[in-house]
């Protein structure tokens, strides 16, 4: 039996009103330094430079995902039958902790330092950390089992799908939360209905047919949030520059040309891979401090990148169709761009969207009124239309425009 | 010069905060008895039986459309150049008055009594009414010109498109207002963006490319509002019964079998077509009084329909695919249903949706970044997907289930 | 044991998202004709003439009160201990039914016909009605016990306080619902907090100290809703005219001067007091039909009142301080006003506010952190300030202005 | 003539939908590094530790204040007459820039380092900064005049009152914005009404009587936001600890015991007073870096404070009435608390509230219907009640609890 808090804890949330915590283990996890670190990492990195309201942290989002997970557990009777008390704790803790492995400006960070946040999350959960200590205090298997959910080993298939699939508590929280803070007109979901229609068939999370409109709406909101917010070219440019800065630091450290104690935490990650104490220090404050510091450093490439980043002289961008790559080459040649000064960014079928619409959507399973399991695209002409007609794609060159420099 | 009010009038609106009136003519029109009659006609007829919050009237909606029209005029600079002061008044008054010709439970009413609300609206504007009187007081041509906008004669092409097209102030108001009152999760539009992107090219209302996502979202919201709210089968059943009641009254009056002074106003409309004074009396209160009264009348068919309507013993319904019409026939035969006791209801390509998606959507014109005019479906793969893949359609038989009677 | 519905019923609500019904008896009560009648009575009578969005019915409000009552039951653990299963049903049904006895334009109706809506509600619950029939089907004592709650006999003190006191589920619903539909900026309550802080001490509903700010805010919202919305002079004028119409009808019927079959239902109420079948017919549709009809009647006083009401030639009003009653008399004399043509309307310490602030507020009991029971005004300097400094009051004369007639 | 932007700039805002910039000077000011620095200072310092959603920056708030200021200018016709084009720019720029002088964790910062943010703001506007440069480019007097508004020299009385008084664009923005992000139920203002009722009489900003309810509501919202959010004891404890950290750093620097290059920027401020370049570096990132760093430093007092701050071992607190100061002394003695380890925090008539309610409220001027100028408390019994009955006050001791250490 997992102990309850004597008095339930309440967090005031701008989206959900109140978030409740009754399990002692959840409360203790929230209080760990690794979870508190998420307060210092903005959820949307560069997007907040375009949408000034989007200054919320991964801490807020993580609490929100936990809250939705609890909500699902309370609303869906069949879940309480399918999941043992132990599994319910695995589920709630996984929801809470799913993002603890994120680095600062996470996408660029992962890309350059070859760190997958799922893996870092699992390592924090099972490593030499306060989180691990808390989990052990309650049950010796808990840390390993939560890590297995994060890594999707298949041990807890229902929990894995609830936490991470085409339609999960993670995505439902971030779409609404990001829409709320950016002020985007889209992103309001009919979560109540989606959750009420959720059920389990053959160890699979499926949705009753009554949820189809709500799911169509969810997918469209997601589509619009990607194109209006997450893929906003100015936000992308910001991230591309960060990637260049990260890359230059990486190369300098590897070639022993950067000797600044302040960069030690990054050095440890680069040289040894994941290390708990170093990782703990990596947050937005650290990276922003680094950029300020390196704007005065000796390496010209790095100092210029940092300077322009600080002054928001972002990389320029142009859209070019896939068959016009010569245009890209010309710009690169004309500007004498080094590898740190441009990036070709495909936002297309190779990235989120096919993933999400072509392949993945077929994976959302609908329990039709006549009792059959169907894929969403079999039921919904809208989604079928989206899958067959091809999805908007885009290819942009982001580059340092030296003509103005 | 049209005179301004000495002090602008303000209406508190649950959606828009405040609605402002500065033109004396608009204020006087709102005060006419024909416009005030709209307070007594619910915007959504039978839908309020399913969504209890949807009790708002056509009066609220009409004020809202006027308010949006004013908003467009204030935000879109080119409009103030393209429309003379006189035309601006034609535009605002058309927005305000566009629904004055609606009857109670309008769709059933139109269908049975062969009255088109646009035509009734025009007749009220130009007939022996307070509205006509007000308009004449300001300008002798005003009534005829507003009627021409309502009837889409082509005299004021820009105004006609602003008031009634695929994406107009009427639809923008009702989608949001109906969503607000029903509590539907969909229906929030990015009106600000759509309006800011609206412009005029060659006397056509077009939208700059920056509006594409907002328009996609608008069309999806519309789609979902239709399927979740307007086409809700219980709401449809309610309307189908009303249609039967109207039909029976019509047939009884035509065959001189209904002799009740209380039905006189309907009788006038049936026998003489539109007549101002009779039409004025037709509102939800009148029709509901009629139904209560006729629940005690001698005609068995009518009294039974009215009784069951009042007790909400609605027609049953079943969905059947287009090629299974034999099933319909069987139900009709087995129950010995008269023409008043069933209706085959196609909600399909023959009604709103093709209209709105296949044909009509191509009519939304987009001014692309390179200055070309394109149709929305040329620009948007989502809309293209919707057009080519076919749209959800549905066919239902609504029928009186005598097996329980 | 009260039976549950096989499948819980869900109502989409614009304020609460979804309203759930799981008890069969509640579902059956909603389906009775007496409860459905509430769809035809607007919650705010004349207020909708000023705030056009406020067109919602007592049906919506009654569902809302039931929903809040359920919410309280689910959130407040001590209630589930204090109330037996039977009492829980008494409580939920009382919340649902508390307004079924309201007449059309209820305040004027009560005032003229000397009918108290609580008494009518009790008579409908225990009389020859579908509601009574439903209740009897579940338990022979239910109707009498619910009526006793409505009449506040003291048999179920906790339930009585939850349903009707200074801070009850009725008021919490109507303040927020009326604010939502009018578009008033006030009226958003921190219901979640108030409900979480509610507890029972010595058979009394009290609130833990953590609720004090939320309750202060609730009282201020109530204050502002009264002055901005419920007491709006144009809305009052509308109600005063209705009162005059009701009064004239009453006097004509009593003196046998009104002979119109259409008024029979009112006649029954006047002559016999409450009678189920007649009462059932009294709704907004009926009264509006009556007014239209009597605008053509022979009695000059009645026809003029009805005519002006329909044309919204409302009574004028002036504010006068309490010691200037001579001014009132002068206006009445100068215009030769009959008793039907004016009303002196005190909105002052004699009405809602002292009631609510001076006396009543002291009745909201707070369980302080140190375990003592105190009255709200002992704890809150704001409320104390409100009580001691006197409350805004107002006295207006509403009168028919014959100088323009 | 101040030049307009060729194409107006639009910022998506979660509260206001869109924020528009049409003036080139405003756009250029937003792009300066000093204004961009505000992105790195959270609006609510320690409050975000209690209300996790409150992670918004002073950048968001400053844009919001500018937007409201613009709104006032557009809605209040008399302002456009009273203010010359030049003064309108002074007004808008003052609104935008009013907070640029805030330091990180501003209240503690000001208190310890004896820096008033208004003064720093003026120094940034007139100093060696990009902001000054931008202003000079447009008009040589602009910087001095904006600084005079910030310092309230009385040169532009109307502008000063609009920007900073009992009811100004600054407060209206932060109350709503902070409520939005914290999720507080209070804080929604009827800004539209307040702004519409604003007018100018004798060079004073006054409000027409129709605004009284909206202003009462504003003052109550402010009161509740203070007690529920700004004065939340956990947030206060966080700030008290920061104050101690700042104080210890100050004392160490003054006594030359702190020798860390990283603290140089603070050193400059301490030794020389305001200095542009050093001030620019002071932001949340810097201070958080400092705290992390000093958690390993040699000074035991500082390292312990920093450590406990990072681990959120906040100072404990107890409330004690004014005449029980002996209790405070006992706790201080028993724990052997140094000056860095406790603070007696009066939240009472000595701070915001008398200021705001007793004295200040009388300064909100109301233009009554009969044309007289009155103070708000003369008109509003509620406000009078608040002023006379005394205001809730509170005194707490915050202290390091060594019994657990």
């Amino acid at each position: 039996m997992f102990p309850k808090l004597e008095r339930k804890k309440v967090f005031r949330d701008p989206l959900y009103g109140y978030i409740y915590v009754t399990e002692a283990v959840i409360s203790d996890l929230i209080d760990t330094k690794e979870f508190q670190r998420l307060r210092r990492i903005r959820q949307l990195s560069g997007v907040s430079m375009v949408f000034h309201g989007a200054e919320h942290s991964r801490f807020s989002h993580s609490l929100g995902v936990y809250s939705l997970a609890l909500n699902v557990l309370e609303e869906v009777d069949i879940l309480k039958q399918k999941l043992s008390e132990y599994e319910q704790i695995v589920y709630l803790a996984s929801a809470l902790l799913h993002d603890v492995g994120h680095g600062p400006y996470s996408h660029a960070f992962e890309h350059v330092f070859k760190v997958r946040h799922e893996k870092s999350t699992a390592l924090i959960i099972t490593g030499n950390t306060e989180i691990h200590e808390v989990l052990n205090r309650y049950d010796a298997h808990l840390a390993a089992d939560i890590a297995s959910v994060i890594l999707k080993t298949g041990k807890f298939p229902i929990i894995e799908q609830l936490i991470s699939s085409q339609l999960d508590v993670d995505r439902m929280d971030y779409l609404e939360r990001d829409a709320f803070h950016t002020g985007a007109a889209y992103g309001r979901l009919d979560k109540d209905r989606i959750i009420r229609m959720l059920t389990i068939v053959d160890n699979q999370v499926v949705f009753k047919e009554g949820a189809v409109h709500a799911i169509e709406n969810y997918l469209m909101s997601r589509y619009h949030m990607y194109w209006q917010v997450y893929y906003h070219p100015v936000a992308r440019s910001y991230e591309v520059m960060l990637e260049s800065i990260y890359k230059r630091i990486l190369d300098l450290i590897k070639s022993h040309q950067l000797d600044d104690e302040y960069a030690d935490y990054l050095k440890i990650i680069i040289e040894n891979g994941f290390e708990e104490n170093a990782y703990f220090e990596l947050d937005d404050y650290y990276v922003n401090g680094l950029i300020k510091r390196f704007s005065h450093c000796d390496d010209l490439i790095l100092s210029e990148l940092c300077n322009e980043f600080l002054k928001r002289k972002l990389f320029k961008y142009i859209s070019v169709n896939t068959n016009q790559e010569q245009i890209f080459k010309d710009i690169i040649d004309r500007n004498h761009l080094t590898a740190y000064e441009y990036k070709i960014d495909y936002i297309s079928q190779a990235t989120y969207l096919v993933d999400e619409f072509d392949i993945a959507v077929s994976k959302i399973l609908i329990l039709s009124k006549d009792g059959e399991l169907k894929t969403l695209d079999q039921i919904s002409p809208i989604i079928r239309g989206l899958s067959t007609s091809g999805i908007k794609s885009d290819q942009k060159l982001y580059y340092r425009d030296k003509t103005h420099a």
Side-chain angles (χ1 to χ4, degrees), chain A:
Chain A
M1 275 291 288
F2 284 86
K4 304 279 177 196
L5 291 173
E6 267 180 51
R7 222 171 130 242
K8 74 176 159 191
K9 274 199 182 169
V10 179
F11 294 83
R12 183 98 215 178
D13 186 77
L15 275 91
Y16 305 153
Y18 291 102
I19 293 177
Y20 298 98
V21 177
T22 54
E23 297 290 339
V25 57
I26 297 295
S27 174
D28 288 350
L29 286 172
I30 292 171
D31 282 342
T32 59
K33 68 176 192 178
E34 292 89 10
F35 190 76
Q36 291 290 327
R37 165 182 169 270
L38 296 179
R39 291 187 188 265
R40 301 190 296 272
I41 299 185
R42 282 198 179 155
Q43 172 75 4
L44 288 183
S45 306
V47 167
S48 73
M49 298 301 288
V50 188
F51 295 88
H52 60 263
E55 300 174 313
H56 54 300
S57 71
R58 292 196 180 273
F59 182 86
S60 286
H61 164 60
S62 296
L63 278 185
V65 175
Y66 153 77
S67 178
L68 273 191
L70 182 64
N71 213 332
V72 168
L73 196 58
E74 283 170 346
E75 285 296 318
V76 182
D77 292 336
I78 198 173
L79 264 189
K80 268 167 284 187
Q81 304 157 21
K82 295 276 180 187
L83 301 182
S84 70
E85 197 213 342
Y86 176 80
E87 288 170 324
Q88 292 182 21
I89 296 293
V90 169
Y91 165 57
L92 294 175
S94 300
L96 185 76
L97 300 176
H98 78 288
D99 266 356
V100 289
H102 269 291
Y105 302 93
S106 191
H107 290 293
F109 187 84
E110 295 198 356
H111 196 244
V112 174
F113 300 114
K114 309 296 175 209
V115 179
R116 280 184 51 241
H117 72 265
E118 294 88 349
K119 218 182 133 198
S120 307
T121 298
L123 288 170
I124 287 171
I125 290 169
T126 56
N128 181 20
T129 58
E130 288 184 20
I131 285 178
H132 192 177
E133 210 177 294
V134 164
L135 293 171
N136 268 352
R137 220 184 303 138
Y138 288 89
D139 188 302
H141 304 295
L142 211 41
D145 281 342
I146 293 167
S148 93
V149 169
I150 303 296
L151 295 172
K152 295 188 148 195
T153 65
K155 183 168 179 189
F156 301 97
I158 293 174
I159 299 174
E160 286 179 17
Q161 291 168 72
L162 291 170
I163 301 288
S164 172
S165 61
Q166 276 304 309
L167 178 44
D168 55 37
V169 288
D170 179 16
R171 288 169 198 261
M172 282 198 283
D173 184 77
Y174 77 63
L175 281 181
E176 277 211 322
R177 196 167 296 274
D178 297 346
F180 178 85
H181 281 101
T182 53
Y186 327 110
R188 193 179 159 209
L189 309 179
D190 195 353
K191 288 194 312 290
D192 282 357
R193 192 177 190 92
I194 292 174
I195 291 174
R196 278 199 305 120
M197 294 288 137
L198 188 156
T199 189
I200 305 294
V201 175
D202 302 337
N203 266 351
Q204 289 182 103
V205 173
V206 307
F207 298 88
K208 291 178 204 153
E209 193 166 352
V212 166
H213 288 296
I215 296 175
E216 288 173 348
N217 180 57
Y218 156 80
L219 288 168
M220 293 305 303
S221 291
R222 191 167 78 174
Y223 174 82
H224 282 118
M225 282 299 287
Y226 271 96
W227 285 101
Q228 295 283 74
V229 175
Y230 306 136
Y231 288 165
H232 193 290
V234 177
R236 295 292 307 152
S237 179
Y238 198 79
E239 302 243 356
V240 166
M241 284 190 78
L242 246 159
E243 225 175 287
S244 287
I245 291 172
Y246 276 155
K247 261 192 287 190
R248 185 64 189 166
I249 293 175
L250 176 74
D251 292 346
L252 290 174
I253 286 180
K254 278 189 166 168
S255 58
H256 306 289
Q257 296 179 62
L258 190 79
D259 187 29
D260 184 322
E261 168 203 18
Y262 198 93
D264 278 357
Y265 297 124
L266 263 188
K267 209 167 168 181
I268 293 170
I269 299 297
I270 290 165
E271 289 174 356
N272 309 342
F274 179 85
E275 197 276 321
E276 291 87 349
N277 293 321
Y279 208 86
F280 175 68
E281 301 294 334
L282 303 178
D283 58 24
D284 287 4
Y285 294 165
Y286 174 72
V287 170
N288 283 283
L290 219 64
I291 293 172
K292 264 201 214 165
R293 195 168 182 93
F294 291 160
S295 68
H296 310 298
C297 78
D298 295 336
D299 182 73
L300 202 67
I301 293 177
L302 184 55
S303 70
E304 276 184 1
L305 282 169
C306 290
N307 255 313
E308 296 185 355
F309 182 90
L310 286 175
K311 294 183 179 160
R312 294 186 311 132
K313 298 208 171 140
L314 299 184
F315 283 1
K316 287 251 161 67
Y317 53 88
I318 58 159
S319 288
V320 187
N321 292 344
T322 28
N323 50 358
Q324 300 170 285
E325 274 150 26
Q326 189 53 45
I327 298 179
F328 285 2
K329 294 214 176 99
D330 289 349
I331 293 176
I332 294 167
D333 288 352
R334 197 179 342 118
N335 282 279
H336 306 287
L337 299 177
T338 70
Y340 303 108
E341 295 175 315
Y342 71 92
K343 180 178 181 183
I344 295 168
D345 199 40
Y346 294 86
I347 299 171
S348 70
Q349 300 186 320
T351 58
Y352 292 86
L353 284 174
V354 149
D355 217 281
E356 292 183 341
F357 282 88
D358 256 355
I359 303 172
V361 155
S362 58
K363 286 197 230 140
I364 295 183
L365 292 176
I366 304 298
L367 182 61
S368 73
K369 278 173 201 154
D370 48 27
E372 271 182 82
L373 273 194
K374 294 180 181 168
T375 57
L376 178 61
D377 61 318
Q378 287 177 302
I379 298 251
S380 160
I382 288 208
I383 298 305
R384 211 157 47 234
L386 288 175
S387 314
T388 55
S389 69
I391 283 296
K392 185 174 165 179
S393 71
D394 189 32
Q395 183 174 242
K396 281 198 172 65
L397 175 71
Y398 289 86
Y399 66 99
R400 190 160 169 232
D401 184 11
K402 296 188 175 171
T403 57
H404 285 144

